[in-house]
Amino acid sequence: MLHAHTFPFRRQVTLGLAFVSALAACASSGSCVRADDELKTLIPLWKAHETEVSTAYLKYKRMRYSGLFPLSSADLDKLLAGVCPEDSSEPAMRKLAKGLLVKPNEVPQPWTECESWFEGTKVKEREGGGAGFTQVYDGKREIVYDPRNKQVNLMSPGASRQYLPPLSSFRSVPPADDLYRVQGRSGGRIDVFREGKPGKLDVSLATDASSGIVRRRTFRDKSGKVVKEIWQDGLITYPGGVVFPSRVADANYNASGGLTFIIITILEEARFNFDLPADTFSVGTTGGVTLFDQRDSKKTYTQRVVDPVSDVVQLVGTTKAEGRLPWLKSAWWVAPILVAGAALLLFFRARRTRKSRPA
């Protein structure tokens, strides 16, 4: 029993001596910074990042791939490092595509040109500029307009199968309320770790010390295998002091550590905290469009839009939570007419029956 208690005591003494020795070395070098002080610097920056942008406009190119070479985390890091994060030129984009795709020649243009607007929870993304494929969440409903097949779909929040990138996908910010510990500091980088709960992923953060932007966010399972990574490179400070990465790469890996899916976004233009036009989150269409209102889970309402409109929502109005659908509201007078018509039909049918009876 004496031996069982002696080993933990000796281990504690050893760890204590090592800690004292480390403090002495830090003090003698004059470069010792407490981990608590590092976190006291980073966490307020993360909180500020969550609230500093009220409105935004972003123009960017997006690469969204499966059918990839099974690159490891180190391989992908090397590929990304070989292309300037601010470079969205065709040669740079094709270099990335060639390094990622098993069959790059089968994709004529392996990126999509997009622009997005943000205000609070509202989001609008349009592809290709002008009247390209458009997705909107206007705070009440989701709207998807595909001019190629001349269709507009209105859905309840969260019902669309299309991915609508939120502002956080262009600058990932760690939850400020999680528990972190600092693992080290190298130059202008602070390495932070968050241990996941049982069954959850551990997260390592390579953070820019001055701005608080996470340059690399790595998710690992409990065995240490990399499951997901987010790179954020090419930091630019915009008017008002808002710092955003020029390039974001969001990668997923399989159980063997091979790359399976990636989204790369390269920012070309950005504006923050300005007044957006009142019709920013409206969706206008050309004529000859079919509108499918799928907000009622029991029934889809279909409407043919003959002429161009500036806001499709004006044609259909609101759901039960907001009020009755306008075609139901405006057609309240139809019911009495139908009842009267049915009564007349029955009257004339009964009269004809009486006349046809033999005397």
Side-chain angles (χ1 to χ4, degrees), residues 73 172-175 178 180 193-194 196 200-205 214 216-231 249-254:
S73 171
S172 177
V173 180
D178 284 358
Y180 300 94
F193 178 77
R194 188 209 72 190
K200 301 295 183 180
L201 300 175
D202 297 334
V203 184
S204 298
L205 310 172
V214 177
R216 187 169 178 176
R217 192 173 183 179
T218 305
F219 299 79
R220 292 182 174 87
D221 62 20
K222 294 304 180 182
S223 68
K225 291 181 180 178
V226 178
V227 176
K228 179 182 177 68
E229 281 186 298
I230 300 173
W231 283 262
D250 190 331
N252 293 340
Y253 302 89
N254 58 25

Side-chain angles (χ1 to χ4, degrees), residues 43-280:
I43 289 177
L45 289 172
W46 294 342
K47 289 182 177 180
H49 293 163
E50 292 176 348
T51 58
E52 68 180 346
V53 176
S54 58
T55 61
Y57 166 78
L58 305 178
K59 183 180 179 182
Y60 50 95
K61 289 179 179 176
R62 181 173 60 217
M63 310 171 82
R64 185 184 176 100
Y65 299 143
S66 54
L68 304 165
F69 288 115
L71 302 179
S72 67
S73 171
D75 293 334
L76 181 55
D77 188 40
K78 184 177 179 180
L79 175 64
L80 293 172
V83 179
C84 177
E86 293 92 348
D87 191 352
S88 62
S89 65
E90 181 171 343
M93 304 292 280
R94 292 198 178 278
K95 183 177 180 179
L96 288 172
K98 186 176 179 181
L100 291 166
L101 292 172
V102 175
K103 299 179 180 179
N105 295 330
E106 293 185 359
V107 185
Q109 181 173 304
W111 64 85
T112 305
E113 297 181 2
C114 306
E115 52 188 346
S116 287
W117 295 259
F118 304 89
E119 183 178 22
T121 60
K122 298 179 182 179
V123 185
K124 180 177 184 177
E125 182 185 63
R126 186 168 60 201
E127 297 181 0
F133 182 83
T134 304
Q135 301 182 77
V136 171
Y137 172 63
D138 65 2
K140 294 180 180 179
R141 60 191 74 82
E142 294 185 9
I143 309 166
V144 178
Y145 172 40
D146 189 347
R148 293 164 296 189
N149 59 17
K150 292 185 173 294
Q151 289 187 1
V152 181
N153 291 276
L154 271 72
M155 290 157 281
S156 299
S160 174
R161 296 181 180 179
Q162 299 288 339
Y163 175 64
L164 182 57
L167 186 61
S168 59
S169 67
F170 298 89
R171 186 184 65 174
S172 177
V173 180
D177 295 332
D178 284 358
L179 296 177
Y180 300 94
R181 70 169 183 263
V182 175
Q183 291 185 313
R185 177 167 184 156
S186 176
R189 189 183 79 186
I190 303 173
D191 293 324
V192 180
F193 178 77
R194 188 209 72 190
E195 183 176 359
K197 296 179 180 179
K200 301 295 183 180
L201 300 175
D202 297 334
V203 184
S204 298
L205 310 172
T207 307
D208 181 70
S210 59
S211 65
I213 301 295
V214 177
R215 305 295 293 266
R216 187 169 178 176
R217 192 173 183 179
T218 305
F219 299 79
R220 292 182 174 87
D221 62 20
K222 294 304 180 182
S223 68
K225 291 181 180 178
V226 178
V227 176
K228 179 182 177 68
E229 281 186 298
I230 300 173
W231 283 262
Q232 302 190 130
D233 300 312
L235 304 184
I236 294 179
T237 301
Y238 292 90
V242 178
V243 181
F244 252 68
S246 297
R247 184 180 68 197
V248 177
D250 190 331
N252 293 340
Y253 302 89
N254 58 25
S256 300
L259 183 66
T260 58
F261 183 75
I262 191 168
I263 300 176
I264 300 177
T265 305
I266 302 177
L267 205 57
E268 295 184 312
E269 181 184 344
R271 286 180 284 150
F272 302 100
N273 300 325
F274 64 101
D275 292 333
L276 292 172
D279 61 351
T280 296

Side-chain angles (χ1 to χ4, degrees), residues 140-145 151-162 290-303 316-320 325 327:
K140 294 180 180 179
R141 60 191 74 82
E142 294 185 9
I143 309 166
V144 178
Y145 172 40
Q151 289 187 1
V152 181
N153 291 276
L154 271 72
M155 290 157 281
S156 299
S160 174
R161 296 181 180 179
Q162 299 288 339
T290 303
L291 174 62
F292 298 94
D293 189 345
Q294 300 170 307
R295 293 172 294 172
D296 188 336
S297 60
K298 298 180 180 179
K299 184 177 180 180
T300 297
Y301 296 89
T302 304
Q303 184 173 348
V316 298
T318 56
T319 59
K320 286 183 179 179
L325 295 170
W327 48 65

